[in-house]
Amino acid sequence: MNTSKPRIGIIGTGAIGGFYGLMLARAGFDVHFLLRSEFDAVNAQGLRIDSALHGTLQMPVQAYADAADMPTCDWLLVGAKTTSNAALAPLIARVAAADGKVVLLQNGLGVEEQLRPLLPDNLHLLGGLCFICVNREAPGVIRHQALGAVNLGYHSGPALDATARQAIAEAGAELFRAAGIDSQAMANLDHARWQKLVWNVPYNGLSVLLKASTTPLMADPDSRELIQALMAEVVQGANACGHELPQGYAEHLFAVTEKMPDYWPSMYHDFAHRRPLELEVIYAEPLARAREAGCSLPRIEALYRALGFIDRSNLKQVQ
């Protein structure tokens, strides 16, 4: 292990945190994993990734059931769902070094704005946009089907000028590149999050509403048309909010998805395991921002309302 490299903490060792954390550990970084229900399994057998790109990777890892037992970390990668951010804030504050960098590897819009007031002012807060097909298969076992890039943007913290902020985002991207992961520093985090919504809004929601993975969604003419219409509304909302997306970006993502292996988006896994759906950050916040800019997104609004009904009904069954 190269101790001269930054110490990295993983808060939320699910599919996302486990994948990127293990890739960084394999590259020689000092990585520490915080777990809850899977601690015993991971502490005993390590983490395993079954990857279509990298083969099978299995390593013992530095695992913890309690943040109080973790060393302070220079970088914290938060892979937990946005629905648990308020509860995670004290753990982040406990584990982060004095000049710590906190990267939210989470979907949606407004996640940094929600967490920022709960964190100490000395911490740097960044957003990370993960373009990856990955899911948890069993305790400590992660299946990686395709892609893997992660792009970083600075949100807030003690770095006050644009040059310093971009340098921190670039330093974060360099960590991932050192682990063999494509990564770029984004100058405008909100712009990058709107770009990610072009995929997340249709595929996450429709996987739950129609109980279908990407291959059948792309094969049916009606669902194809609905996906394209939802994508177009996201682009419309982004443009209204001052984030003009690249020409043909939605068409590019649509074509990429056609070539992907069959994939169940993360929201479907949350639904199947009766966990709260990330509706506020993927749907409610973009809708609110578009509405404030004078832009109506009726298809996304309808999808959001339908998912809200499904989510509430689903959660009642576990109460």
Side-chain angles (χ1 to χ4, degrees):
M1 181 181 297
N2 185 348
T3 56
S4 66
K5 291 183 178 181
R7 181 182 290 152
I8 301 170
I10 307 297
I11 306 294
T13 307
I16 291 291
F19 174 81
Y20 290 113
L22 195 62
M23 292 293 288
L24 288 161
R26 186 183 72 154
F29 287 97
D30 184 13
V31 186
H32 300 259
F33 297 81
L34 181 64
L35 302 108
R36 292 294 178 87
S37 61
E38 299 188 10
F39 169 76
D40 289 338
V42 173
N43 193 46
Q45 67 191 28
L47 277 174
R48 188 178 93 210
I49 299 173
D50 294 324
S51 172
L53 300 181
H54 307 287
T56 297
L57 312 175
Q58 183 155 8
M59 290 175 56
V61 298
Q62 300 176 97
Y64 304 83
D66 190 333
D69 297 328
M70 294 178 70
T72 56
C73 296
D74 305 296
W75 289 83
L76 285 178
L77 308 183
V78 180
K81 295 292 183 179
T82 59
T83 50
S84 62
N85 276 358
L88 292 177
L91 307 182
I92 293 170
R94 178 186 288 271
V95 177
D99 190 39
K101 289 82 175 174
V102 180
V103 183
L104 302 185
L105 300 178
Q106 298 177 326
N107 287 326
L109 196 62
V111 293
E112 292 83 14
E113 287 83 350
Q114 292 177 6
L115 189 60
R116 178 76 263 180
L118 305 177
L119 296 180
D121 293 339
N122 61 291
L123 298 183
H124 303 272
L125 184 60
L126 298 87
L129 288 305
C130 305
F131 298 87
I132 187 168
C133 297
V134 67
N135 65 278
R136 171 192 166 280
E137 290 230 305
V141 180
I142 297 161
R143 181 187 183 206
H144 173 223
Q145 294 177 257
L147 308 175
V150 54
N151 295 335
L152 275 65
Y154 192 96
H155 179 266
S156 58
L160 299 179
D161 64 85
T163 301
R165 290 168 174 244
Q166 190 68 7
I168 291 171
E170 180 59 38
E174 182 55 37
L175 296 180
F176 288 103
R177 290 196 291 266
I181 296 163
D182 182 26
S183 185
Q184 304 294 325
M186 309 293 288
N188 188 315
L189 180 56
D190 270 355
H191 186 96
R193 287 202 169 279
W194 274 104
Q195 283 186 300
K196 184 77 186 294
L197 286 168
V198 175
W199 196 93
N200 276 329
V201 164
Y203 291 102
N204 270 290
L206 292 179
S207 73
V208 173
L209 185 66
L210 302 179
K211 295 183 174 58
S213 53
T214 55
T215 295
L217 285 174
M218 296 298 287
D220 184 86
D222 287 326
S223 54
R224 284 174 67 90
E225 186 172 334
L226 183 54
I227 289 165
Q228 291 174 311
L230 288 164
M231 283 183 160
E233 282 200 353
V234 178
V235 172
Q236 181 185 351
N239 291 343
C241 293
H243 303 291
E244 187 171 349
L245 302 189
Q247 188 72 26
Y249 184 74
E251 292 78 5
H252 165 71
L253 289 186
F254 191 81
V256 166
T257 307
E258 281 202 299
K259 297 175 183 177
M260 278 172 31
D262 190 31
Y263 179 63
W264 287 97
S266 61
M267 188 171 284
Y268 182 83
H269 291 286
D270 290 337
F271 166 75
H273 290 92
R274 302 195 188 285
R275 296 188 292 254
L277 305 184
E278 295 182 292
L279 301 183
E280 290 304 307
V281 294
I282 295 179
Y283 296 98
E285 183 66 19
L287 283 167
R289 294 194 188 189
R291 193 179 304 115
E292 188 176 348
C295 179
S296 174
L297 307 175
R299 292 179 180 84
I300 297 175
E301 182 81 37
L303 179 56
Y304 168 55
R305 298 300 174 188
L307 291 169
F309 176 87
I310 291 170
D311 189 36
R312 288 185 293 274
S313 300
N314 201 34
L315 294 178
K316 281 180 183 178
Q317 298 181 38
V318 296
Q319 293 176 353

